[in-house]
Amino acid sequence: MKWLQFLTPVSSLNWQEAHELVQQHPPGDVIFLDVRQPREYEASHLPGAKLIPLGELDNRLDELDREKSIVIY
Amino acid sequence: MMAGKGFKNLYNLSGGIKAWKKEVAVGPEDVGLHLFSGGTSPEEALITGFGLEAGLRDFYLSVQEKVINESTKNLFAMLADIEIRHQERLVQLYAESTGVDISREEFARKIAEPAMEGGLTTEEYLQLYQTDLESETEVLGMALAIEAQALDLYSRAAQQSENSQEFRTVLLQIAEEERSHMAKLSEYMDQHHNTL
């Protein structure tokens, strides 16, 4: 059993808090990660969001910088 | 899935995109990226950015000629003038990153061809937003949406790993400029809320 995954905290942010997080950090230090399907992304996404559909996430984690703040939706 | 895999700061966005109350962008992940593919120098990024601002200014001026309402005409003129200020800011960024001072007019000569901000064409924007061009509120809403598309484009281009780090850093700076343009437009809309 990978116990660590249950110990890493994942907090929730509301939209204002997420917006403030971007403003408080240097450009590019906060990543919005869109885990929906490409069609949903195409219809509407947060400006600059990176698309990795949930089904592909496990195999594409290396595309994300582990040092940055990542806001997932 | 990501927790416990070395990510330092992970957050869930409560309510997802439906709860997001600010502007959103549309289009597939790669729209407009051809404008920035294989970029190496900050100069290239700034020249493309300058071309996009020029394209948007041309767009506002061309629509200005078509509208009848005098106050909307003035609004389009104002939006077109704002693009000159955005261009000046890019020229300033150019001077900061290269140490070379250049005028806006000289910089303009470097543009291959003007494109629209956000990577879509004029017609695509008009179709996309279905804006009543005689309505000041709708026009400002459209301007804000175009800036959101621009922020989206620069941010996505900055994520392209085949571009050099220097190039990507400048793209992030331009993206920040777009963010501040959006804040100023929102402020303007709030100030003129009662008169629009």
Side-chain angles (χ1 to χ4, degrees):
Chain A
M1 172 105 35
K2 292 175 182 167
W3 285 104
L4 192 59
Q5 66 182 290
F6 298 110
L7 301 174
T8 309
V10 178
S11 2
S12 283
L13 297 178
N14 64 32
W15 75 271
Q16 289 106 323
E17 290 165 334
H19 183 61
E20 281 164 19
L21 190 71
V22 174
Q23 289 178 318
Q24 288 158 3
H25 283 76
D29 272 17
V30 177
I31 309 278
F32 285 115
L33 176 64
D34 192 324
V35 294
R36 301 171 303 152
Q37 291 305 300
R39 194 167 290 193
E40 294 171 280
Y41 180 97
E42 192 170 335
S44 140
H45 56 265
L46 302 197
K50 180 169 181 62
L51 171 68
I52 305 183
L54 200 54
E56 300 172 19
L57 191 55
D58 227 10
N59 293 324
R60 295 179 59 188
L61 288 180
D62 286 346
E63 292 177 31
L64 298 163
D65 187 337
R66 287 170 160 75
E67 301 297 317
K68 293 187 173 173
S69 296
I70 301 178
V71 182
I72 309 159
Y73 68 93
Chain B
M1 194 179 286
M2 293 168 73
K5 300 216 170 137
F7 290 95
K8 298 273 168 65
N9 297 302
L10 290 178
Y11 304 96
N12 279 320
L13 183 63
S14 307
I17 195 168
K18 287 192 181 126
W20 185 254
K21 296 281 182 283
K22 295 196 83 69
E23 291 69 31
V24 292
V26 297
E29 202 189 8
D30 57 355
V31 69
L33 288 187
H34 62 280
L35 294 166
F36 297 99
S37 63
T40 51
S41 71
E43 183 182 7
E44 290 171 67
L46 289 162
I47 289 170
T48 305
F50 191 98
L52 293 170
E53 305 283 2
L56 185 54
R57 176 173 158 78
D58 287 350
F59 168 67
Y60 287 141
L61 290 175
S62 70
V63 183
Q64 185 202 15
E65 285 174 17
K66 292 180 196 157
V67 296
I68 300 158
N69 185 341
E70 202 54 40
S71 57
T72 322
K73 256 187 199 303
N74 293 337
L75 178 60
F76 275 113
M78 183 194 85
L79 289 169
D81 282 349
I82 288 175
E83 293 309 317
I84 293 181
R85 291 212 287 280
H86 294 174
Q87 288 176 342
E88 281 165 353
R89 180 68 190 120
L90 293 185
V91 173
Q92 200 182 335
L93 272 178
Y94 178 85
E96 285 166 17
S97 78
T98 63
V100 179
D101 274 327
I102 185 169
S103 70
R104 194 174 66 84
E105 289 72 20
E106 280 175 280
F107 206 89
R109 282 187 219 118
K110 291 176 181 280
I111 308 167
E113 57 178 306
M116 269 290 280
E117 273 202 302
L120 300 177
T121 65
T122 313
E123 281 308 308
E124 281 168 332
Y125 272 119
L126 288 175
Q127 274 178 12
L128 182 64
Y129 301 124
Q130 300 281 316
T131 309
D132 175 357
L133 296 173
E134 300 291 344
S135 154
E136 287 176 83
T137 312
E138 287 203 18
V139 167
L140 282 166
M142 179 184 69
L144 204 49
I146 291 174
E147 299 295 346
Q149 285 297 123
L151 168 62
D152 182 50
L153 175 61
Y154 291 122
S155 308
R156 284 183 291 109
Q159 290 167 18
Q160 285 188 295
S161 53
E162 69 266 28
N163 293 333
S164 75
Q165 188 57 49
E166 243 186 334
F167 186 83
R168 289 156 66 187
T169 303
V170 170
L171 286 174
L172 284 175
Q173 284 176 306
I174 308 177
E176 276 310 295
E177 289 294 318
E178 297 299 334
R179 211 184 288 284
S180 74
H181 301 168
M182 288 170 73
K184 281 181 192 151
L185 266 180
S186 300
E187 205 177 299
Y188 179 87
M189 285 174 89
D190 289 345
Q191 282 168 359
H192 293 78
H193 180 73
N194 294 328
T195 52
L196 291 174

Coordinates of all heavy atoms in Angstrom, one line a residue, chain B residues 81-166:
Chain B
D81 N -6.7 52.9 -29.6 CA -5.6 53.7 -29.0 C -4.9 52.9 -27.9 O -3.6 53.0 -27.7 CB -6.1 55.0 -28.4 CG -6.3 56.0 -29.6 OD1 -5.8 55.7 -30.7 OD2 -6.9 57.0 -29.3
I82 N -5.7 52.1 -27.1 CA -5.1 51.3 -26.0 C -4.0 50.4 -26.6 O -3.0 50.1 -26.0 CB -6.2 50.6 -25.2 CG1 -7.0 51.6 -24.4 CG2 -5.6 49.5 -24.4 CD1 -8.2 51.0 -23.7
E83 N -4.3 49.9 -27.8 CA -3.4 48.9 -28.4 C -2.0 49.5 -28.7 O -1.0 48.9 -28.7 CB -4.0 48.3 -29.7 CG -5.2 47.4 -29.4 CD -5.0 46.3 -28.4 OE1 -3.9 45.7 -28.4 OE2 -5.8 46.1 -27.5
I84 N -2.0 50.9 -29.0 CA -0.7 51.5 -29.2 C 0.0 51.5 -27.9 O 1.2 51.3 -27.8 CB -1.0 53.0 -29.6 CG1 -1.6 53.0 -31.0 CG2 0.3 53.8 -29.6 CD1 -1.8 54.4 -31.6
R85 N -0.7 51.7 -26.7 CA 0.0 51.7 -25.4 C 0.6 50.3 -25.2 O 1.7 50.1 -24.6 CB -0.9 52.2 -24.3 CG -1.2 53.7 -24.4 CD -1.5 54.3 -23.1 NE -2.8 53.9 -22.5 CZ -3.9 54.4 -22.9 NH1 -4.0 55.4 -23.8 NH2 -5.0 54.0 -22.3
H86 N -0.2 49.3 -25.5 CA 0.3 47.9 -25.4 C 1.5 47.7 -26.2 O 2.5 47.0 -25.8 CB -0.8 46.9 -25.8 CG -2.0 46.9 -24.9 ND1 -3.1 46.2 -25.1 CD2 -2.3 47.6 -23.7 CE1 -4.0 46.5 -24.2 NE2 -3.5 47.3 -23.3
Q87 N 1.5 48.2 -27.4 CA 2.7 48.1 -28.3 C 3.9 48.7 -27.7 O 5.0 48.2 -27.7 CB 2.4 48.7 -29.7 CG 1.4 47.9 -30.5 CD 1.1 48.6 -31.8 OE1 1.3 49.8 -32.0 NE2 0.5 47.8 -32.8
E88 N 3.7 49.9 -27.1 CA 4.8 50.7 -26.5 C 5.4 49.9 -25.4 O 6.6 49.9 -25.2 CB 4.3 52.0 -26.0 CG 4.2 53.0 -27.2 CD 3.4 54.3 -26.8 OE1 2.8 54.3 -25.7 OE2 3.4 55.2 -27.7
R89 N 4.5 49.2 -24.6 CA 5.0 48.4 -23.5 C 5.9 47.2 -24.0 O 6.9 46.9 -23.4 CB 3.8 47.9 -22.7 CG 4.1 47.0 -21.6 CD 4.8 47.7 -20.4 NE 5.3 46.8 -19.4 CZ 6.6 46.7 -19.1 NH1 7.5 47.4 -19.6 NH2 6.9 45.7 -18.2
L90 N 5.5 46.7 -25.2 CA 6.3 45.6 -25.8 C 7.7 46.1 -26.2 O 8.7 45.4 -26.1 CB 5.6 44.9 -26.9 CG 4.3 44.1 -26.5 CD1 3.7 43.4 -27.7 CD2 4.6 43.1 -25.4
V91 N 7.6 47.3 -26.8 CA 8.9 47.9 -27.2 C 9.8 48.1 -26.0 O 11.0 47.9 -26.1 CB 8.6 49.3 -28.0 CG1 9.9 50.0 -28.3 CG2 7.9 49.0 -29.3
Q92 N 9.2 48.5 -24.9 CA 10.0 48.7 -23.7 C 10.5 47.4 -23.2 O 11.7 47.3 -22.8 CB 9.0 49.3 -22.6 CG 9.6 50.0 -21.5 CD 8.5 50.4 -20.5 OE1 7.3 50.6 -20.9 NE2 8.9 50.6 -19.2
L93 N 9.7 46.4 -23.2 CA 10.2 45.0 -22.9 C 11.4 44.6 -23.8 O 12.3 44.0 -23.3 CB 9.1 44.0 -23.0 CG 8.2 43.7 -21.8 CD1 7.1 42.7 -22.2 CD2 8.9 43.2 -20.6
Y94 N 11.3 45.0 -25.0 CA 12.4 44.7 -26.0 C 13.6 45.4 -25.6 O 14.7 44.7 -25.5 CB 11.9 45.1 -27.4 CG 13.0 44.9 -28.5 CD1 13.1 43.7 -29.1 CD2 13.8 45.9 -28.8 CE1 14.0 43.5 -30.1 CE2 14.8 45.7 -29.8 CZ 14.9 44.5 -30.4 OH 15.9 44.3 -31.4
A95 N 13.5 46.6 -25.2 CA 14.7 47.4 -24.8 C 15.3 46.8 -23.5 O 16.5 46.7 -23.4 CB 14.3 48.9 -24.6
E96 N 14.4 46.4 -22.6 CA 14.9 45.8 -21.4 C 15.6 44.5 -21.6 O 16.6 44.2 -21.0 CB 13.7 45.5 -20.4 CG 13.2 46.8 -19.7 CD 11.9 46.6 -19.1 OE1 11.5 45.5 -18.8 OE2 11.2 47.6 -18.8
S97 N 15.1 43.7 -22.5 CA 15.7 42.3 -22.7 C 16.9 42.3 -23.7 O 17.8 41.5 -23.6 CB 14.7 41.3 -23.1 OG 14.4 41.4 -24.5
T98 N 17.0 43.3 -24.6 CA 18.1 43.3 -25.5 C 19.1 44.5 -25.3 O 20.2 44.4 -25.8 CB 17.6 43.5 -27.0 OG1 17.0 44.8 -27.1 CG2 16.6 42.4 -27.3
G99 N 18.7 45.5 -24.5 CA 19.5 46.6 -24.3 C 19.6 47.6 -25.5 O 20.3 48.5 -25.5
V100 N 18.7 47.3 -26.5 CA 18.7 48.2 -27.7 C 17.4 49.0 -27.6 O 16.3 48.5 -27.6 CB 18.7 47.3 -29.0 CG1 18.6 48.2 -30.2 CG2 19.9 46.4 -29.0
D101 N 17.6 50.3 -27.7 CA 16.4 51.2 -27.8 C 15.9 51.3 -29.2 O 16.7 51.5 -30.1 CB 16.8 52.6 -27.3 CG 16.6 52.7 -25.8 OD1 15.7 52.0 -25.2 OD2 17.5 53.4 -25.1
I102 N 14.6 51.2 -29.4 CA 14.1 51.3 -30.8 C 12.7 51.9 -30.7 O 12.0 51.8 -29.6 CB 14.0 49.8 -31.3 CG1 13.5 49.8 -32.7 CG2 13.1 48.9 -30.4 CD1 13.6 48.4 -33.4
S103 N 12.3 52.7 -31.7 CA 11.0 53.4 -31.7 C 9.9 52.4 -32.0 O 10.2 51.3 -32.7 CB 11.0 54.6 -32.6 OG 11.0 54.1 -33.9
R104 N 8.7 52.8 -31.7 CA 7.5 51.9 -32.0 C 7.4 51.7 -33.6 O 7.1 50.7 -34.1 CB 6.3 52.5 -31.5 CG 5.1 51.6 -31.5 CD 3.9 52.3 -30.8 NE 3.4 53.4 -31.5 CZ 2.5 53.3 -32.5 NH1 2.1 52.2 -32.9 NH2 2.1 54.4 -33.1
E105 N 7.7 52.8 -34.3 CA 7.6 52.8 -35.7 C 8.7 51.8 -36.3 O 8.4 51.0 -37.2 CB 7.8 54.2 -36.3 CG 6.6 55.1 -36.1 CD 6.6 55.6 -34.6 OE1 7.6 55.6 -33.9 OE2 5.5 56.1 -34.2
E106 N 9.9 51.9 -35.8 CA 10.9 51.0 -36.3 C 10.6 49.5 -36.0 O 10.8 48.7 -36.8 CB 12.3 51.3 -35.6 CG 13.0 52.5 -36.1 CD 14.2 52.8 -35.3 OE1 14.1 53.4 -34.2 OE2 15.3 52.4 -35.7
F107 N 10.0 49.4 -34.8 CA 9.6 48.0 -34.4 C 8.6 47.5 -35.3 O 8.6 46.3 -35.7 CB 9.1 48.1 -32.9 CG 9.3 46.7 -32.2 CD1 10.4 46.5 -31.5 CD2 8.3 45.8 -32.2 CE1 10.6 45.3 -30.8 CE2 8.4 44.6 -31.6 CZ 9.6 44.3 -30.9
A108 N 7.6 48.3 -35.7 CA 6.5 47.9 -36.5 C 7.0 47.4 -37.9 O 6.4 46.5 -38.5 CB 5.6 49.1 -36.8
R109 N 8.1 47.9 -38.3 CA 8.6 47.4 -39.6 C 9.1 46.0 -39.6 O 9.4 45.3 -40.6 CB 9.8 48.3 -40.1 CG 9.2 49.6 -40.7 CD 10.3 50.5 -41.3 NE 10.0 51.9 -41.0 CZ 10.8 52.7 -40.3 NH1 11.9 52.2 -39.9 NH2 10.4 53.9 -40.1
K110 N 9.4 45.5 -38.4 CA 9.9 44.1 -38.2 C 8.7 43.1 -38.4 O 9.0 41.9 -38.5 CB 10.5 43.9 -36.8 CG 11.8 44.7 -36.6 CD 12.2 44.5 -35.2 CE 13.5 45.3 -34.9 NZ 14.7 44.5 -35.4
I111 N 7.5 43.5 -38.3 CA 6.4 42.6 -38.3 C 6.2 42.0 -39.7 O 6.2 42.7 -40.7 CB 5.0 43.2 -37.9 CG1 5.2 44.0 -36.7 CG2 3.9 42.2 -37.8 CD1 4.0 44.9 -36.4
A112 N 6.1 40.7 -39.8 CA 5.9 40.1 -41.1 C 4.5 40.4 -41.6 O 4.3 40.9 -42.7 CB 6.1 38.6 -41.0
E113 N 3.5 40.0 -40.8 CA 2.1 40.4 -41.1 C 1.3 40.4 -39.8 O 1.5 39.6 -38.9 CB 1.5 39.4 -42.1 CG 1.5 37.9 -41.6 CD 0.9 37.0 -42.5 OE1 -0.3 37.2 -42.9 OE2 1.5 36.0 -42.9
P114 N 0.4 41.3 -39.7 CA -0.4 41.4 -38.5 C -1.4 40.2 -38.4 O -2.0 39.8 -39.4 CB -1.2 42.7 -38.6 CG -0.7 43.4 -39.8 CD 0.0 42.4 -40.7
A115 N -1.5 39.6 -37.2 CA -2.4 38.6 -37.0 C -3.3 39.1 -35.8 O -3.0 40.1 -35.3 CB -1.7 37.3 -36.6
M116 N -4.3 38.4 -35.5 CA -5.2 38.8 -34.4 C -4.7 38.3 -33.1 O -4.2 37.1 -33.0 CB -6.6 38.4 -34.6 CG -7.4 39.5 -35.4 SD -7.7 40.9 -34.4 CE -9.1 40.3 -33.4
E117 N -4.9 39.0 -32.0 CA -4.5 38.5 -30.7 C -5.3 37.3 -30.4 O -6.5 37.2 -30.7 CB -4.8 39.6 -29.6 CG -3.7 40.5 -29.4 CD -3.7 41.2 -28.1 OE1 -4.7 41.9 -27.8 OE2 -2.7 41.1 -27.4
G118 N -4.7 36.3 -29.7 CA -5.4 35.1 -29.4 C -5.3 34.1 -30.5 O -5.7 32.9 -30.3
G119 N -4.9 34.5 -31.6 CA -4.6 33.5 -32.7 C -5.8 33.2 -33.6 O -5.7 32.4 -34.5
L120 N -7.0 33.9 -33.4 CA -8.1 33.7 -34.2 C -8.2 34.9 -35.2 O -7.6 35.9 -35.0 CB -9.4 33.6 -33.4 CG -9.5 32.5 -32.4 CD1 -10.8 32.6 -31.6 CD2 -9.4 31.1 -33.0
T121 N -8.9 34.7 -36.3 CA -9.1 35.8 -37.2 C -10.3 36.7 -36.8 O -11.1 36.3 -36.0 CB -9.4 35.3 -38.7 OG1 -10.7 34.7 -38.6 CG2 -8.4 34.3 -39.1
T122 N -10.3 37.9 -37.4 CA -11.4 38.8 -37.1 C -12.8 38.2 -37.3 O -13.6 38.4 -36.4 CB -11.3 40.0 -38.1 OG1 -9.9 40.4 -38.2 CG2 -12.1 41.1 -37.8
E123 N -13.0 37.6 -38.4 CA -14.3 36.9 -38.7 C -14.6 35.9 -37.6 O -15.7 35.8 -37.2 CB -14.3 36.3 -40.1 CG -14.5 37.3 -41.2 CD -15.7 38.2 -41.0 OE1 -16.8 37.6 -40.7 OE2 -15.5 39.4 -41.0
E124 N -13.6 35.1 -37.2 CA -13.8 34.1 -36.2 C -14.2 34.7 -34.9 O -15.1 34.2 -34.2 CB -12.5 33.2 -36.0 CG -12.3 32.2 -37.1 CD -10.9 31.5 -37.1 OE1 -10.0 32.2 -36.7 OE2 -10.8 30.4 -37.6
Y125 N -13.6 35.8 -34.6 CA -14.0 36.5 -33.3 C -15.4 37.0 -33.4 O -16.2 36.8 -32.4 CB -13.0 37.7 -33.0 CG -11.8 37.2 -32.2 CD1 -10.5 37.4 -32.7 CD2 -11.9 36.7 -31.0 CE1 -9.4 37.0 -32.0 CE2 -10.8 36.2 -30.3 CZ -9.6 36.4 -30.8 OH -8.5 36.0 -30.1
L126 N -15.7 37.6 -34.5 CA -17.1 38.2 -34.6 C -18.1 37.1 -34.5 O -19.2 37.2 -33.9 CB -17.2 39.0 -35.9 CG -16.5 40.3 -35.9 CD1 -16.6 41.0 -37.2 CD2 -17.0 41.3 -34.8
Q127 N -17.8 35.9 -35.2 CA -18.8 34.8 -35.1 C -18.8 34.2 -33.7 O -19.9 33.9 -33.3 CB -18.3 33.7 -36.1 CG -18.8 34.0 -37.5 CD -18.3 32.9 -38.5 OE1 -17.8 31.9 -38.1 NE2 -18.5 33.2 -39.8
L128 N -17.7 34.1 -33.1 CA -17.6 33.5 -31.8 C -18.4 34.2 -30.8 O -19.1 33.6 -30.0 CB -16.1 33.4 -31.4 CG -15.7 32.7 -30.1 CD1 -16.1 31.3 -30.2 CD2 -14.2 32.9 -29.9
Y129 N -18.2 35.5 -30.7 CA -18.8 36.3 -29.6 C -20.2 36.8 -30.0 O -21.0 37.3 -29.1 CB -17.9 37.4 -29.2 CG -16.6 36.9 -28.7 CD1 -15.4 37.3 -29.3 CD2 -16.5 35.9 -27.7 CE1 -14.2 36.8 -28.8 CE2 -15.3 35.4 -27.3 CZ -14.1 35.9 -27.8 OH -13.0 35.3 -27.4
Q130 N -20.6 36.8 -31.3 CA -21.9 37.3 -31.7 C -22.2 38.6 -31.0 O -23.3 38.8 -30.4 CB -23.0 36.3 -31.3 CG -22.8 34.9 -31.9 CD -23.3 34.8 -33.4 OE1 -24.3 35.4 -33.7 NE2 -22.5 34.3 -34.3
T131 N -21.3 39.5 -31.1 CA -21.4 40.8 -30.4 C -22.3 41.8 -31.1 O -22.2 41.9 -32.4 CB -20.0 41.4 -30.2 OG1 -19.1 40.5 -29.7 CG2 -20.0 42.7 -29.4
D132 N -23.1 42.5 -30.4 CA -23.9 43.6 -30.9 C -22.9 44.8 -31.0 O -22.6 45.4 -29.9 CB -25.1 43.9 -30.1 CG -25.8 45.2 -30.5 OD1 -25.3 45.8 -31.5 OD2 -26.8 45.6 -29.9
L133 N -22.4 45.1 -32.1 CA -21.3 46.1 -32.2 C -21.8 47.5 -31.9 O -20.9 48.4 -31.8 CB -20.7 46.0 -33.6 CG -20.0 44.7 -33.9 CD1 -19.5 44.7 -35.4 CD2 -18.8 44.4 -33.0
E134 N -23.1 47.7 -31.8 CA -23.6 49.1 -31.4 C -23.7 49.2 -29.9 O -24.1 50.3 -29.4 CB -24.9 49.3 -32.1 CG -24.9 49.3 -33.6 CD -24.1 50.5 -34.2 OE1 -23.8 51.4 -33.5 OE2 -23.8 50.3 -35.4
S135 N -23.5 48.1 -29.2 CA -23.7 48.1 -27.7 C -22.4 48.2 -27.0 O -21.5 47.4 -27.2 CB -24.4 46.9 -27.3 OG -24.1 46.6 -25.9
E136 N -22.2 49.3 -26.3 CA -20.9 49.5 -25.6 C -20.6 48.4 -24.6 O -19.4 48.0 -24.5 CB -20.9 50.9 -24.8 CG -20.8 52.1 -25.8 CD -21.0 53.4 -25.0 OE1 -19.9 53.8 -24.5 OE2 -22.1 53.9 -24.9
T137 N -21.6 48.0 -23.9 CA -21.3 46.9 -22.9 C -20.9 45.6 -23.6 O -19.9 45.0 -23.2 CB -22.6 46.6 -22.1 OG1 -23.2 47.8 -21.7 CG2 -22.4 45.7 -20.9
E138 N -21.5 45.3 -24.7 CA -21.1 44.1 -25.4 C -19.8 44.2 -26.0 O -19.0 43.2 -26.1 CB -22.2 43.7 -26.5 CG -23.5 43.2 -25.9 CD -24.3 42.3 -26.8 OE1 -23.7 41.9 -27.8 OE2 -25.5 42.1 -26.5
V139 N -19.5 45.4 -26.6 CA -18.1 45.6 -27.2 C -17.0 45.5 -26.1 O -16.0 44.8 -26.4 CB -18.1 47.0 -27.8 CG1 -16.7 47.4 -28.2 CG2 -19.0 47.0 -29.1
L140 N -17.3 46.0 -24.9 CA -16.3 45.9 -23.9 C -16.1 44.5 -23.4 O -15.0 44.0 -23.2 CB -16.6 46.8 -22.7 CG -16.3 48.3 -22.9 CD1 -17.0 49.1 -21.8 CD2 -14.8 48.5 -22.8
G141 N -17.2 43.8 -23.4 CA -17.2 42.3 -23.1 C -16.4 41.6 -24.1 O -15.6 40.7 -23.7
M142 N -16.5 41.9 -25.3 CA -15.8 41.3 -26.4 C -14.3 41.6 -26.3 O -13.4 40.7 -26.4 CB -16.3 41.7 -27.8 CG -15.5 41.1 -28.9 SD -16.0 41.7 -30.6 CE -15.4 43.4 -30.5
A143 N -14.0 42.8 -26.0 CA -12.6 43.2 -25.8 C -11.9 42.4 -24.7 O -10.8 42.0 -24.8 CB -12.5 44.7 -25.6
L144 N -12.7 42.3 -23.6 CA -12.2 41.5 -22.5 C -11.9 40.1 -22.9 O -10.9 39.4 -22.5 CB -13.2 41.6 -21.3 CG -12.7 41.4 -19.9 CD1 -11.5 42.3 -19.6 CD2 -13.9 41.8 -19.0
A145 N -12.9 39.5 -23.6 CA -12.8 38.1 -24.1 C -11.5 37.9 -25.0 O -10.8 36.9 -24.9 CB -14.0 37.7 -24.8
I146 N -11.3 38.9 -25.8 CA -10.1 38.8 -26.7 C -8.8 38.9 -25.9 O -7.9 38.1 -26.2 CB -10.1 40.0 -27.8 CG1 -11.3 39.7 -28.8 CG2 -8.8 40.0 -28.6 CD1 -11.5 40.9 -29.8
E147 N -8.8 39.7 -24.9 CA -7.6 39.8 -24.0 C -7.4 38.4 -23.3 O -6.3 38.0 -23.1 CB -7.7 40.9 -23.0 CG -7.8 42.3 -23.5 CD -6.6 42.8 -24.3 OE1 -5.5 42.1 -24.2 OE2 -6.7 43.8 -25.0
A148 N -8.5 37.8 -22.9 CA -8.4 36.5 -22.2 C -7.9 35.4 -23.2 O -7.0 34.6 -22.8 CB -9.8 36.0 -21.7
Q149 N -8.3 35.5 -24.5 CA -7.7 34.6 -25.5 C -6.2 34.9 -25.7 O -5.4 33.9 -25.9 CB -8.4 34.9 -26.9 CG -9.8 34.3 -27.0 CD -9.9 32.8 -26.9 OE1 -10.6 32.3 -26.0 NE2 -9.1 32.1 -27.7
A150 N -5.8 36.1 -25.6 CA -4.4 36.5 -25.8 C -3.6 35.9 -24.6 O -2.5 35.3 -24.8 CB -4.2 38.0 -25.9
L151 N -4.1 36.1 -23.4 CA -3.5 35.6 -22.2 C -3.3 34.1 -22.3 O -2.3 33.5 -22.0 CB -4.3 35.9 -20.9 CG -4.0 35.2 -19.6 CD1 -2.6 35.6 -19.2 CD2 -5.0 35.6 -18.5
D152 N -4.4 33.4 -22.8 CA -4.4 32.0 -23.0 C -3.3 31.6 -24.0 O -2.5 30.7 -23.7 CB -5.8 31.6 -23.5 CG -5.9 30.1 -23.7 OD1 -5.6 29.3 -22.8 OD2 -6.3 29.7 -24.8
L153 N -3.2 32.3 -25.1 CA -2.2 31.9 -26.2 C -0.8 32.1 -25.6 O 0.0 31.2 -25.8 CB -2.5 32.8 -27.4 CG -1.4 32.6 -28.5 CD1 -1.5 31.2 -29.1 CD2 -1.7 33.6 -29.6
Y154 N -0.5 33.2 -25.0 CA 0.9 33.4 -24.6 C 1.3 32.4 -23.5 O 2.4 31.9 -23.5 CB 1.1 34.9 -24.0 CG 1.0 35.9 -25.1 CD1 0.0 37.0 -25.0 CD2 1.9 35.9 -26.2 CE1 0.0 37.9 -26.0 CE2 1.8 36.9 -27.1 CZ 0.8 37.9 -27.1 OH 0.8 38.9 -28.0
S155 N 0.3 32.1 -22.6 CA 0.6 31.2 -21.5 C 0.8 29.8 -22.1 O 1.7 29.1 -21.7 CB -0.6 31.1 -20.5 OG -0.9 32.4 -20.1
R156 N 0.0 29.4 -23.1 CA 0.2 28.0 -23.7 C 1.5 28.0 -24.4 O 2.2 27.0 -24.4 CB -1.0 27.7 -24.6 CG -2.3 27.3 -23.8 CD -3.4 26.9 -24.7 NE -4.0 28.0 -25.5 CZ -3.8 28.2 -26.8 NH1 -3.2 27.3 -27.5 NH2 -4.3 29.2 -27.4
A157 N 1.8 29.1 -25.2 CA 3.0 29.1 -25.9 C 4.3 29.0 -25.0 O 5.3 28.4 -25.3 CB 3.1 30.4 -26.8
A158 N 4.1 29.6 -23.8 CA 5.2 29.6 -22.8 C 5.5 28.2 -22.3 O 6.5 27.9 -21.7 CB 5.0 30.5 -21.7
Q159 N 4.5 27.3 -22.4 CA 4.6 25.9 -21.9 C 5.3 25.0 -23.0 O 5.6 23.9 -22.7 CB 3.2 25.3 -21.6 CG 2.6 26.0 -20.4 CD 1.1 25.6 -20.3 OE1 0.6 24.7 -20.9 NE2 0.4 26.4 -19.5
Q160 N 5.5 25.5 -24.2 CA 6.0 24.6 -25.2 C 7.5 24.4 -25.0 O 8.3 25.3 -25.0 CB 5.9 25.3 -26.6 CG 4.5 25.2 -27.1 CD 4.4 25.7 -28.6 OE1 4.7 26.9 -28.8 NE2 4.1 24.8 -29.5
S161 N 7.8 23.2 -24.7 CA 9.2 22.9 -24.2 C 10.2 23.0 -25.3 O 11.4 23.1 -25.1 CB 9.3 21.5 -23.6 OG 8.7 20.6 -24.5
E162 N 9.8 23.0 -26.6 CA 10.8 23.0 -27.7 C 11.4 24.5 -27.8 O 12.4 24.6 -28.5 CB 10.3 22.5 -29.0 CG 9.2 23.3 -29.7 CD 7.8 22.9 -29.3 OE1 7.6 22.3 -28.2 OE2 6.9 23.1 -30.1
N163 N 10.7 25.4 -27.3 CA 11.2 26.8 -27.3 C 12.2 27.0 -26.2 O 12.2 26.4 -25.2 CB 10.0 27.8 -27.2 CG 9.0 27.8 -28.3 OD1 9.4 27.4 -29.4 ND2 7.8 28.1 -28.1
S164 N 13.1 28.0 -26.5 CA 14.2 28.2 -25.5 C 13.6 28.9 -24.2 O 12.5 29.5 -24.2 CB 15.2 29.2 -26.1 OG 14.7 30.5 -26.1
Q165 N 14.3 28.7 -23.1 CA 13.9 29.3 -21.9 C 13.7 30.8 -21.9 O 12.8 31.3 -21.4 CB 15.0 28.9 -20.8 CG 14.5 29.2 -19.4 CD 13.2 28.5 -19.0 OE1 13.0 27.3 -19.2 NE2 12.3 29.3 -18.5
E166 N 14.7 31.4 -22.6 CA 14.6 32.9 -22.7 C 13.3 33.3 -23.4 O 12.7 34.3 -23.0 CB 15.8 33.3 -23.7 CG 16.8 34.2 -23.0 CD 17.8 34.6 -24.1 OE1 18.0 33.9 -25.1 OE2 18.4 35.7 -23.9

